Each structure stands twice: as structure tokens, then as C-alpha cells.
Amino acid sequence: MSILVIAEHDNSSLKQATLNVVAAAKAIGGDIDVLVAGENVGAVAEAAAKAEGVNKVLVADNAAYGHFLAENLSELVAEVGKGYSHILTSAGTTGKDIMPRVAALLDVAQVSDIIRVESEDTFVRPIYAGNAIATVKASDSIKVVTVRPTAFDPVAAEGGSASIEQLDIVKDAGLSSFVGEEKAQSDRPDLASAGIVISGGRGMQNGDNFKMLEQVADVLGAAVGASRAAVDAGFVPNDMQVGQTGKIVAPQLYVAVGISGAIQHLAGMSDSKVIVAINKDEEAPIFQVADYGLVADLFEAIPEFEQELDKVCS
Amino acid sequence: MKVLVAVKRVIDYNVKVRVKPDNTGVDLANVKMAMNPFCEIAVEEAVRLKEKGVASEIVVVSIGPKASQEQIRTALALGADRGIHIETDEEVQSLEAAKLLKAVVEKEEPKLVILGKQSIDSDNNQTGQMLAALTGMGQGTFASEVVVDGDKVKVTREVDGGLMTVALNLPAVVTTDLRLNEPRYASLPNIMKAKKKPLDSMSPADLGVEIAPRLTTLKVEAPAARQAGIKVADVAELVDKLKNEAKVI
Amino acid sequence: MERESMEFDVLIVGGGPAGLSAACRVMQLAQEAGEELTVCVVEKGSEIGAHILAGTVFEPTALNELFPDWKEKGAPLNTPVTRDDIFLLKNQEKATKVPNAFVPKNMHNHGNYIISLGNLCRWLAEQAEQLGVEVYPGFAAAETIVEDGQVKGIITGDMGVAREGSEKDGYMPGMELRAKYTLFTEGCRGHLGKRLINDFKLDEGKDPQHYGIGIKELWDIDPAKHEPGLVVHTTGWPLNESGSTGGSFLYHLENGQVYVGLITDLSYSNPHLSPFEEFQRLKHHPEIKKYLEGGKRVAYGARAIAKGGYNALPKMSFPGGLLLGCDAGTLNSSKIKGSHTAMKSGLLGAEAVFEALKEGKSGEEITSFQKRFEDSWLYKELYAERNFGPAMHKFGNIVGGAIAFVEQNILRGSLPITFRDTTPDYATLKPASKCKKINYPKPDNKLTFDRLSSVFISNTNHEEDQPVHLKLTDPEIPLKDNLPKYDEPAQRYCPAGVYEVVEKDDGSGKKFQINAQNCVHCKTCDIKDPAQNITWVTPEGGGGPNYPNM
């Protein structure tokens, strides 16, 4: 078996998600090559070559790939990938854009957003927004797969010494062109995609007290959310709501402050990797899903939390 | 210009899905079905293009069992002009859906095809991109803004970390993200009128496409319930655990 | 404001068994007579069946009349009743099985079916559409149109109004739906029906309507414990602990599933009582637990039922329309069945309206309806059981049950006296300080659950940014009167956690919080609030529960 991993990067640095995808490739087993396609990607290729478990790094460096246009990249990946048993990439927006196009060009099915590898042709993936988990078997000779990066622990970024090979394949489909881009400007990340979320519930008592959470969020680089009870009570606007009728989030770290943990809220955050609950009611249901629970008065605990984090994070 | 919109019948987003006790799938018996929310946004975008005078005709297509005609009628009530139903009771996976839609595209020759970015049942996020590949069209996925400008369409896409705008030659495929628009309500008179709008029905065989799934679902399970973790004594211990045990800060 | 308007011959408000039966029948009659009629059904639920909640052991009498070939047409009557068990629960451990010979005749269910009434309604809607009826779910009838003392139709609710009343993007004003005759079949305590009863004094000379709140769950159970067709009813515990009345049901339907539920009469007097928690603890009784243990809860719902019967039944005709089914109160409470009677009232209403239309009438009161009703088996059935509810209220489930037994099995409904029950349910509460507090056990999340996780599996949703649809006439009453006197019973009688008394933001005291989004449209608050200060109005169409297979 031989696996081609499409690196995720921004032309200057390799995104960590690539290391998670290599981990998924290792779980399948076989030789792992990484394709770095972009423009002026020398540094990215070198970073990829150092990743643990990588056999060879293939580099396609051309202006046609500079903006990761799916029309161009998919032709490249389909051509390079047809010699492999698996083609993997991260289920980020770039991977989601390109890979189905690759699959269609190869006339094979795609398995999206896998969270576990059962065997070389059998994968586990969430369906119905994570409310059901399907195990699927792919029968095509080439398996095109996107990987949910957070579901796999990354391989080490250092220590590998893969060879780097330049490819001279230029695919410009001539169907699309890059016009512009706008990076999210907010100091705080978007709630739906933030790596850390700190949310307040009715225990916050009023909207002003959410400032305490914002200060913690600033230290952590986190987004601030709220439970429906806090939104219904008028503490904060509706777009901060996490839960069944609000946003569904799955950050690395979710800190629930003064949130009782009604199922409507859990429905929006229980896929988070690590959940922390701070609540003075030790019977609150939130503790049943929390990895770390702190039974405390939030008005004492949160300022202290901020101070301690300040020490650790700065 | 003609716009083709593909819509899918899925379980209503308000309904809590329940995995069948025998783990063969999700229980759909007598649960409320509806148009996939991303497809509603696709229909709305097409209708807005028509209201702006950019689109001249909106054809809506759905693949699935007889009952999928309800979703086509909904799209017609929202402003689409004509429906195509590709009727099959079999499971249709993304690649086959894309092949069926390709056949429709070849027949109808639309300038723009709009689809939802993914359906909320299978969560695949594939069909639009596959259709674009098979028809040799450019694709503007996860659109938050669509502007048709001469023989090109400018699509602003929701990407990780911000927005990216691309220009695509027409004809092109666009898939919708949530912020593209807020779909309208269908009014009663429009629902009535929709019953009289033309709706063609055909089979996959009529379009020369064979349904042959490449993926087999071995089992479907309910997600594992989270287990309660530990209680920490104080804030210092909490921060220590987050840093050194969970390694998330 | 300029509204769009549409006209029909017959407009039907509410897509339940009464409304859909009426719709089908009036179309059948038109087709038999070779006439064309326009018939429209509006339904506030997101689809037909979404808001339908009932037991249900179904007596197919009215269905036989409407569609004698219902079997061939695929009506979802799949599980014939095979056995009836009745238990008198003495306390949380003990039970006595009532010997068959002592079971009131009306509690025998031979020939009946265990069904999902929601699924039957879905099927009826298909039949209606095939007959040419226009069926529109997702549209709530918000107001009646009354002109010159006649009901001329309804106005559907506005869509896209923000919480504070401003118009959002996509605002769509409601439409006028006008008709020669409008049939109101909203179910128990319909909000328009309630107004019609007041405005046209339809309840003059009648006893006040009486209600119960039914709370129901659908469970997957261990196949070894499943006996399709088994019907279990209980009475006594837990409601008897607080001197309240009502009874539970447990029905084994198809697919290894059971319905389990408790009906609590809303005439209860102890304000500490919580029908929701009474039902939760009932499931710990050995006679119930033995079926549910090891099973999994699938769905939850709650709905008020009108059970005043004959004595409380208002006049059903008024200028421009008819009030039918549970909107009027045609349920037979001794059988605990309202579906067949609702359907029959729909059939009678359809026949009366068709005759009126044939005579060229439009909007004039169909005074002949009363005679048509009195000549029907529906009237005989309701008259015969008129003493059942009042006897239960007066004498409790046990002595009341004995009276029912004697009357039904021996006297066959000919008891020469009529018991009456003239205290409305909102006026029965005693001060909280004078009543014993009830300590309900905490949910174990296996057999018993809290309100919010229950609402979760009712698939309830309302657009968040819309006006609160539970209106307080006087916003001060909950805290000023209800809280000191009755410990604000809304916190407990609401089965969906809509009402809460919480601390104010600034810690300066309490406030009455209404979580309208949780509302499962059961109408209990509108019925039981001691000050009659809560009015339930329709939220945006399509909101509310989405009951599957209930």
C-alpha cells in the first residue's frame, strides 16, 4: 500500500493538520508520501520532510497552485495520486473543496471526514452532524479520504528525513482565477471554528459579568459563547448561543462557566475534545460530561483562573 | 440565463435522529422530512438572481423516492419555475448523484448550477465538486456571496480563517454556505401555484446512469456518551491539568 | 394593513382527526353529488401529525363510516388489542389487578387498535389531498374574521416578526382565508375556539369544561417483555397521595415499542403537584417498571385533554361555522377515547355544512346541526357517560369507578340522575401553605428524566426571535399573587419547563421567566393558571413539537 497525503499549508508554513493526517495515514499503514502543491513552497516542503513517518515529499511549485484553486489542484492530485492506494487530506475547507473533484476525476467514491481507521478500506465517520457514527467500507481501488484532524493525534513535527522530489507537472484548467481574500480580522476567533471556547450560563447573573469571560478569552485566544438560558435572560446576544438551536462547536477546549448543562446545551458542545465545568452546584448535569470539574463560586474562580492562565500562557 | 438548482429531501433539522436498535441506520419511519437547509439557501439564491433579472429560468432537480416531489414543490413555491424528479428508491451516493446531475446539465445546459454545500444527513460535502469535475466546470464552494458579471461569476467563499473570492467562467457550479442568504417563507398562494408548475419525472436509467454504490455502510451507531471526568480541588490544579495532562493550553 | 385574501367554500382550522375527517367527508359528499367544492385545511404544526398527541387505543367506528375500505387503503391500524389489564395501584410498591368482571364496560377494548394518532392523521391527510382538499401545514390560524356577527374565516399568523414586534427581513404578513363556512377543529382548548365560545356564548347553561393533562412517552423495550396488543391501565398511585385523580396507560404497539403515559386531572387542588414528576415517578412502580426496565426512551410529549363530556359540551354551531372535536369537547372520558368521537363530530359537521351549501347558504348559522348531532351515536355515547367524570371528581377514582361500573355495566347509562361538577379547574387550587409539599425523587436518567431532556426528544423548536406567544394579561400577577399564594404553580404544571421563577440579574429579587421556545403547545397554562392570566396564542407557523409516531 502507498498513501499520498496532500499537505495543508499557506505557502509559507505547514499546517499542523497535515501532521494529524499523516497520523491517520500511519493508521492505515504503508508508505506515506506527502504532496506539497503551491507557490514558493520550499519551506513547507522542508517542514513536511521532517515529519515523522514520511517517506517522500513531492513538490509541485507553480503559480497555478498558489491560491489552491480546486480546478487546477484536482487535476494535479488526480494525476499524481492515481499511482497510490489512498489519497488523504485534512477535512479543512481546502481539502473539502479539492478532494471530491479529485475523486470524480478518478471515478471513485470519497469517504469524508473520517474520525477513525478500521482497516485499509474501512473507516469511521460521523453523519447527521455527529448524532450517528457510520462505519463505511470503500470498494474502489483508490480510496480518496478526508480526515478530521482533531480525531488523530499528530505525528512528531521533527525527526523525519524524507527525500524531497520536485514535480514538473503544471495544470492550469483555465476555469477559475483568484480575485482576493480577506482574513478574519477579529481579535477573537469565530465561535464556530475557535480552538478554545469559554461560555457562560445563567450563573453569570448579568451581561456585564461576561466581561470576566472575555478577559479570560483574551488570555487564551478563545471565543466567548453562552448557553440559551443566558441568551433568554437577555445577558448576551443570540449569536453567542452554543447549543441545539445555536452554534454547534467542537473546540479542543470548552470551558463552561455557570452553565447547568441542559441537554439542549450539551447538544452543541459535547464533541469538544476537553470540557471544563465551573459551577457552584455540584449536582449540575454539566459535570457528567466534563473532563475537569471545579465546584466553586465562579465570581471567585474566574478572576483566579485568569491570573493563573496569565502565568502559564505568557 | 438558466439556473439549475439541486435539492435533497432529508430528515428535518429539528428532529433528533435516532439510531435503529439493529444498527443498520437511522430510523426514518414517520419522522418529518424537509428540504436540506443548504439546498433552501441554494433555491433562495437562484430566486434572488431571477428577481435581479440575472436569471431567466430556474429549474429545480431532486433525486430520490417519490416523496422527494414534496421538496421540489417547496422549491417551486419559493420561486423556481420548473421541476425535474429523478425517481429512485435506491441509495444514491455522491458520485452517482453527480453523474445524474451531469446528465441533467447536458440536457438543460444551465449557465449556473447551485447546490447546497452538504446535506445534513450524510454530511459528505461532495456532490457539487464532483458535478463540477464531471462537467468540466469551475466551482465556487461554500459561497457567502455570488455576483454574476458578464460571462463570469464572482464567488466569495467561506474558508478557514476568512473569506476568499474567485472568479469562474460560466457555466459554473456554486455550493452554498449558511451566510449566503436567509431563505424566505413560502406564501400560501405561491404554494398553491406551485402545484400547477411543470414537474418532469424520470428514472436514472432514462438518463443512462446506473446506480452502483461504491461505499457500503457496515453499521451505524449512536455516538458514545461522554464519561464524567474528575473533579479538581482548585483553580491551580485545573490549570495544571489543562497544561500538563490534557495539553490544550 | 393590506392583506392578501383567498376564498374557499369550506375552511378547516386544525389538521387533526376531526378536521381531516370533516375535510374528507365534505369532499366525498361533493363528489357523490357531482359538485365542485374548495376545501382548505390549515395546520399550525410543521407537518400534519407534528402536533398530534394521544394514547391511543383507537375505536374504528367513525373510520369505518368514512372509509369502509380503510384496510385496503393502508390506514395505519396495525396492532389489534389482544388483552386489557387494569391495575389499582395502592402505593409505590403494591397493586391490585381489577378482575375482568368488575371492569366497566367502556374499558374493554376488544375490536380496537393501538395506533399512533399522528400517523393516522398523516394518512387521513393523504386521503384528503387525493380527494382534492388543500392541506397547508405550517400555517397557524391566528385570528378569526368576524363581520356582521358572522365568522367569515381566519387570518394566518404573520411570519418574520422580531421578539419586540418589529418586522425582520423576510417578513410576511398573515393572509385572510375566507370561507362560506369555517370549521374549528383545533383540539383541546383551541385558542380561537376559546374565543368563539366566549364571543358567541356557546357554553351558556353548560357546566364548565374540565381538563386533564396527558404526558406520554414512546419507548423501545426489551423484546422479551413486549406483547403486541397488550393494554394496561392503572389508577390510584401516585396521584392518590395528593388526593388527585387521573390514570396511567401503557400500550404495546408494533416494532417492540410501548406508549406509556399519565393523565392528571387538572381539577387537582394541591399546588405543589407536578403532573410531569407524577408521571416520572409512576414509571418506578413495579407494574410499569417491569416493562420499561432495560428499554430506551424515544419520544416525549404532552397535551391537555377536554374531558368534561356531555355536561360541559358547548353549543357547537354559530354563525359562519362549527366547533368540533376536542375544540368543543367531544371526548368520551369513561373510555378515555376522543379520536373516534372527534372524527364522528367531523363527519356530522361535514354533512351539515354540505347540506347548508347545497341550500345556497353562506355564513348563516347551521341550526340543524344540533338535531343531526342528537340523532347520532355520538350523542348517545356522550349522554350515557355523562356522570363518569363528575363522579370521579366528586368521589375519587375508586368510588367514582364503582359508580361508573354500575352505571355502565348494569344500568347501561340510564341512571336517572346527572352528577354535575361546576367548579372550573383553574379555581380548585388550595393555598400552598395549606397543602403538603410533595418530594419528588431526582431523575435517574434511566427510567426517569428532567423536563428539558424530555422536551429535547419532543423535537420542539420555535424560531427564537419572535414575540413570546404566552401572553400575560397582567405581568405582575405571577409574582404578586401566584407566588405567595400558590408558589406559582406554572413552574410545576407546565410539562416543558416554560415557566420559571428566577433571581433577577441584579440580585434585587425574583422574576417570572417565560421560556416560550420550550412550549409543546399543551395549553395547560391557559387552563390551570388560577388567575386565568396566561393566554396561549399561536407562535409562528411550523413552530412547536415535531412528534414522530406519537
Side-chain angles (χ1 to χ4, degrees):
Chain A
M1 264 178 317
S2 54
I3 300 170
L4 181 66
V5 170
I6 316 302
E8 189 177 339
H9 62 89
D10 58 4
N11 289 325
S12 55
S13 63
L14 184 70
K15 295 241 173 97
Q16 197 208 271
T18 307
L19 303 176
N20 304 79
V21 177
V22 172
K26 278 181 79 179
I28 295 168
D31 286 343
I32 300 167
D33 292 352
V34 174
L35 172 64
V36 177
E39 190 178 7
N40 299 325
V41 288
V44 178
E46 277 166 34
K50 287 186 198 141
E52 177 197 344
V54 176
N55 176 52
K56 190 164 63 175
V57 175
L58 305 170
V59 182
D61 203 328
N62 191 283
Y65 309 132
H67 297 290
F68 315 112
L69 295 172
E71 296 79 2
N72 302 350
L73 270 180
S74 58
E75 290 192 16
L76 169 73
V77 174
E79 180 164 331
V80 177
K82 65 187 175 208
Y84 289 84
S85 62
H86 295 75
I87 308 174
L88 266 61
T89 196
S90 138
T93 47
T94 309
K96 285 176 177 170
D97 188 37
I98 294 167
M99 286 294 255
R101 202 166 171 117
V102 172
L105 292 175
L106 294 169
D107 192 29
V108 301
Q110 175 183 309
V111 184
S112 294
D113 209 17
I114 65 160
I115 56 170
R116 209 163 67 227
V117 172
E118 292 282 300
S119 72
E120 55 164 301
D121 63 359
T122 304
F123 309 94
V124 178
R125 58 179 301 263
I127 53 176
Y128 293 93
N131 289 304
I133 306 294
T135 304
V136 294
K137 187 180 160 103
S139 62
D140 289 308
S141 58
I142 303 175
K143 278 89 182 160
V144 172
V145 177
T146 62
V147 177
R148 180 175 291 193
T150 51
F152 296 86
D153 287 329
V155 298
E158 302 285 333
S161 57
S163 60
I164 298 179
E165 187 182 310
Q166 300 290 328
L167 298 177
D168 187 22
I169 307 173
V170 179
K171 298 280 184 186
D172 189 344
L175 293 169
S176 55
S177 58
F178 172 79
V179 175
E181 66 188 333
E182 192 184 315
K183 296 271 182 243
Q185 286 297 324
S186 164
D187 297 339
R188 246 177 242 121
D190 182 45
L191 181 57
S193 57
I196 301 179
V197 174
I198 178 163
S199 289
R202 194 185 272 162
M204 298 303 296
Q205 293 189 359
N206 61 49
D208 281 347
N209 288 336
F210 269 74
K211 289 206 183 83
M212 293 166 45
L213 301 187
E214 287 167 15
Q215 285 162 6
V216 176
D218 287 341
V219 179
L220 288 169
V224 178
S227 70
R228 191 171 99 186
V231 173
D232 277 352
F235 299 169
V236 289
N238 198 23
D239 62 1
M240 284 174 66
Q241 192 192 138
V242 171
Q244 179 197 3
T245 53
K247 295 194 168 65
I248 312 283
V249 302
Q252 292 291 101
L253 172 61
Y254 188 90
V255 184
V257 182
I259 290 176
S260 66
I263 190 157
Q264 287 76 0
H265 186 72
L266 302 186
M269 46 66 83
S270 58
D271 284 341
S272 305
K273 189 154 185 227
V274 174
I275 296 175
V276 169
I278 300 175
N279 201 305
K280 67 179 171 191
D281 173 14
E282 65 179 311
E283 305 261 332
I286 190 77
F287 287 117
Q288 290 163 19
V289 300
D291 300 283
Y292 302 107
L294 176 62
V295 180
D297 181 348
L298 70 95
F299 295 103
E300 288 165 23
I302 292 302
E304 199 186 331
F305 191 43
E306 189 198 335
Q307 284 169 17
E308 289 288 323
L309 287 171
D310 230 359
K311 285 186 224 161
V312 181
C313 295
S314 59
Chain B
M1 76 180 198
K2 192 192 276 186
V3 178
L4 180 72
V5 181
V7 302
K8 184 173 178 187
R9 176 182 174 86
V10 298
I11 193 164
D12 187 274
Y13 74 100
N14 288 316
V15 175
K16 308 298 165 304
V17 300
R18 171 175 163 267
V19 172
K20 285 192 210 164
D22 65 3
N23 291 335
T24 55
V26 161
D27 190 2
L28 295 179
N30 301 302
V31 300
K32 183 173 184 254
M33 304 295 279
M35 192 194 294
N36 180 42
F38 290 103
C39 302
E40 271 188 1
I41 295 172
V43 173
E44 176 68 28
E45 195 63 18
V47 173
R48 289 186 188 191
L49 287 173
K50 193 174 174 194
E51 283 169 349
K52 281 185 208 146
V54 176
S56 52
E57 188 188 18
I58 302 169
V59 181
V60 58
V61 54
S62 189
I63 305 166
K66 181 100 186 156
S68 308
Q69 292 191 4
E70 289 171 26
Q71 279 61 52
I72 297 176
R73 292 286 176 206
T74 303
L76 295 173
L78 291 169
D81 298 294
R82 173 157 76 78
I84 297 174
H85 179 215
I86 304 170
E87 189 175 341
T88 173
D89 289 328
E90 285 175 71
E91 183 198 351
V92 178
Q93 295 176 350
S94 309
L95 185 61
E96 293 146 345
K99 288 180 179 176
L100 289 165
L101 293 175
K102 179 191 177 211
V104 175
V105 165
E106 283 167 355
K107 245 169 85 171
E108 295 286 341
E109 300 184 331
K111 277 276 185 217
L112 193 62
V113 186
I114 313 180
L115 305 88
K117 73 167 181 181
Q118 73 191 68
S119 62
I120 61 167
D121 50 2
S122 55
D123 281 338
N124 275 319
N125 196 330
Q126 296 173 1
T127 306
Q129 295 90 314
M130 288 179 164
L131 172 65
L134 296 177
T135 53
M137 291 195 237
Q139 65 187 47
T141 51
F142 329 140
S144 67
E145 197 186 354
V146 176
V147 181
V148 175
D149 184 7
D151 60 351
K152 291 200 189 288
V153 57
K154 267 203 267 181
V155 180
T156 301
R157 305 176 51 230
E158 306 237 3
V159 295
D160 295 335
L163 298 171
M164 170 185 181
T165 305
V166 293
L168 310 170
N169 298 348
L170 292 174
V173 173
V174 168
T175 76
T176 62
D177 215 322
L178 277 181
R179 284 192 284 185
L180 180 56
N181 60 49
E182 179 91 16
R184 69 194 64 197
Y185 303 98
S187 73
L188 265 182
N190 287 341
I191 294 173
M192 290 182 183
K193 281 182 210 148
K195 291 188 176 177
K196 301 195 173 72
K197 289 186 179 175
L199 199 172
D200 269 351
S201 194
M202 58 194 71
S203 71
D206 293 339
L207 293 167
V209 176
E210 193 196 342
I211 304 289
R214 317 287 187 87
L215 302 175
T216 315
T217 298
L218 302 180
K219 64 179 170 188
V220 174
E221 295 162 296
R226 270 191 104 95
Q227 300 297 316
I230 57 163
K231 291 255 169 75
V232 293
D234 51 35
V235 170
E237 187 188 348
L238 174 63
V239 172
D240 176 64
K241 293 276 188 200
L242 291 178
K243 184 161 178 70
N244 299 315
E245 191 175 271
K247 300 194 172 97
V248 286
I249 55 173
Chain C
M1 180 180 39
E2 202 54 24
R3 288 182 186 281
E4 281 193 81
S5 175
M6 291 173 75
E7 295 237 20
F8 301 92
D9 292 311
V10 183
L11 174 65
I12 295 169
V13 180
L20 293 168
S21 298
C24 290
R25 175 60 112 210
V26 81
M27 266 320 186
Q28 285 175 343
L29 293 169
Q31 286 178 1
E32 281 163 25
E35 285 176 31
E36 287 229 344
L37 281 186
T38 53
V39 179
C40 173
V41 176
V42 287
E43 160 60 40
K44 69 179 163 62
S46 65
E47 62 164 355
I48 295 294
H51 290 184
I52 297 291
L53 191 81
T56 301
V57 173
F58 182 73
E59 185 177 310
T61 40
L63 180 62
N64 289 337
E65 292 175 19
L66 179 60
F67 292 110
D69 56 345
W70 56 260
K71 234 177 210 140
E72 292 73 52
K73 286 190 151 82
L77 277 59
N78 303 325
T79 314
V81 175
T82 53
R83 187 153 68 90
D84 274 296
D85 281 354
I86 300 186
F87 291 94
L88 182 59
L89 307 185
K90 293 180 169 168
N91 54 41
Q92 59 183 329
E93 293 299 331
K94 294 214 171 75
T96 310
K97 189 168 170 182
V98 179
N100 213 24
F102 291 101
V103 172
K105 191 168 121 262
N106 278 347
M107 294 295 289
H108 286 291
N109 282 304
H110 186 72
N112 297 335
Y113 295 81
I114 298 169
I115 66 159
S116 154
L117 189 64
N119 289 348
L120 180 67
C121 288
R122 290 179 178 102
W123 177 85
L124 280 171
E126 284 171 22
Q127 309 310 310
E129 287 195 307
Q130 280 169 23
L131 286 162
V133 177
E134 311 256 11
V135 180
Y136 297 118
F139 291 91
E143 302 285 340
T144 49
I145 303 171
V146 182
E147 288 164 2
D148 310 324
Q150 277 184 356
V151 173
K152 299 285 193 187
I154 61 102
I155 301 171
T156 63
D158 297 345
M159 307 286 270
V161 178
R163 181 173 277 242
E164 82 290 354
S166 64
E167 292 169 13
K168 297 187 285 184
D169 276 0
Y171 166 76
M172 187 169 80
M175 271 190 75
E176 284 188 358
L177 301 181
R178 291 175 170 267
K180 290 177 180 146
Y181 285 100
T182 308
L183 307 185
F184 290 84
T185 53
E186 303 164 284
C188 170
R189 194 75 165 192
H191 83 121
L192 297 180
K194 177 182 163 185
R195 278 192 239 166
L196 292 168
I197 291 170
N198 274 329
D199 295 351
F200 290 97
K201 299 190 169 57
L202 300 178
D203 58 352
E204 215 166 52
K206 310 286 181 177
D207 288 353
Q209 184 59 275
H210 290 285
Y211 302 89
I213 173 171
I215 303 180
K216 171 180 169 179
E217 294 175 350
L218 172 64
W219 282 68
D220 282 337
I221 66 164
D222 178 353
K225 298 172 179 170
H226 192 251
E227 187 185 335
L230 173 60
V231 165
V232 180
H233 287 112
T234 79
T235 185
W237 190 83
L239 292 170
N240 64 359
E241 273 187 16
S242 56
S244 314
T245 55
S248 87
F249 58 88
L250 191 148
Y251 304 150
H252 293 241
L253 60 154
E254 68 236 52
N255 297 332
Q257 295 186 313
V258 298
Y259 292 135
V260 57
L262 177 71
I263 295 168
T264 301
D265 293 342
L266 287 177
S267 56
Y268 70 80
S269 61
N270 183 339
H272 300 299
L273 180 112
S274 159
F276 175 82
E277 265 120 352
E278 293 288 325
F279 170 52
Q280 294 303 319
R281 65 174 175 158
L282 164 81
K283 289 183 282 178
H284 273 299
H285 194 283
E287 286 301 332
I288 304 291
K289 185 167 141 183
K290 70 179 182 195
Y291 295 112
L292 301 183
E293 215 164 26
K296 187 165 182 287
R297 189 170 72 145
V298 173
Y300 169 88
R303 184 71 172 95
I305 63 173
K307 47 183 273 301
Y310 176 83
N311 299 331
L313 190 66
K315 184 168 161 251
M316 290 153 83
S317 64
F318 51 85
L322 297 171
L323 187 70
L324 301 169
C326 289
D327 213 352
T330 55
L331 177 133
N332 178 336
S333 69
S334 72
K335 287 184 179 174
I336 346 174
K337 285 185 190 62
S339 307
H340 68 295
T341 51
M343 287 181 71
K344 180 62 181 176
S345 75
L347 301 184
L348 294 169
E351 286 154 16
V353 163
F354 184 73
E355 190 180 81
L357 291 173
K358 221 170 52 186
E359 290 164 4
K361 288 182 184 161
S362 170
E364 292 164 55
E365 180 166 348
I366 307 175
T367 47
S368 64
F369 180 79
Q370 182 63 20
K371 173 85 168 57
R372 192 179 287 275
F373 169 56
E374 282 170 15
D375 290 343
S376 73
W377 57 256
L378 174 59
Y379 177 88
K380 289 181 191 77
E381 187 175 323
L382 293 180
Y383 184 79
E385 66 97 41
R386 72 197 181 284
N387 284 334
F388 179 81
M392 292 286 182
H393 281 190
K394 263 200 172 73
F395 305 112
N397 284 137
I398 296 165
V399 177
I403 293 171
F405 173 79
V406 170
E407 185 174 15
Q408 290 175 13
N409 294 38
I410 299 166
L411 302 172
R412 308 263 161 164
S414 61
L415 198 67
I417 52 166
T418 299
F419 293 120
R420 311 205 79 100
D421 182 356
T422 53
T423 311
D425 292 342
Y426 63 81
T428 55
L429 286 181
K430 293 178 185 152
S433 59
K434 299 220 160 58
C435 294
K436 203 173 146 215
K437 278 215 165 181
I438 308 173
N439 280 321
Y440 293 111
K442 286 205 158 156
D444 63 8
N445 292 318
K446 290 188 179 74
L447 286 179
T448 59
F449 305 91
D450 66 11
R451 280 180 171 77
L452 288 181
S453 46
S454 302
V455 174
F456 190 66
I457 54 169
S458 68
N459 301 318
T460 296
N461 192 41
H462 292 90
E463 162 59 40
E464 303 205 1
D465 191 13
Q466 66 170 308
V468 172
H469 72 278
L470 300 144
K471 307 279 184 204
L472 299 179
T473 311
D474 176 352
E476 305 294 320
I477 283 180
L479 296 183
K480 197 174 70 165
D481 293 349
N482 284 356
L483 187 62
K485 232 184 197 159
Y486 303 112
D487 193 22
E488 185 44 274
Q491 301 178 81
R492 291 173 297 281
Y493 60 61
C494 172
V498 169
Y499 301 100
E500 289 179 284
V501 176
V502 296
E503 296 295 325
K504 261 194 192 154
D505 300 358
D506 52 9
S508 68
K510 293 181 186 313
K511 73 170 191 176
F512 188 61
Q513 163 121 352
I514 303 180
N515 305 307
Q517 276 185 65
N518 287 356
C519 177
V520 295
H521 298 200
C522 78
K523 318 282 175 73
T524 301
C525 51
D526 194 291
I527 295 164
K528 187 61 178 174
D529 179 47
Q532 287 293 280
N533 184 47
I534 303 176
T535 303
W536 190 99
V537 302
T538 47
E540 210 166 80
N546 282 288
Y547 295 136
N549 301 307
M550 291 286 266

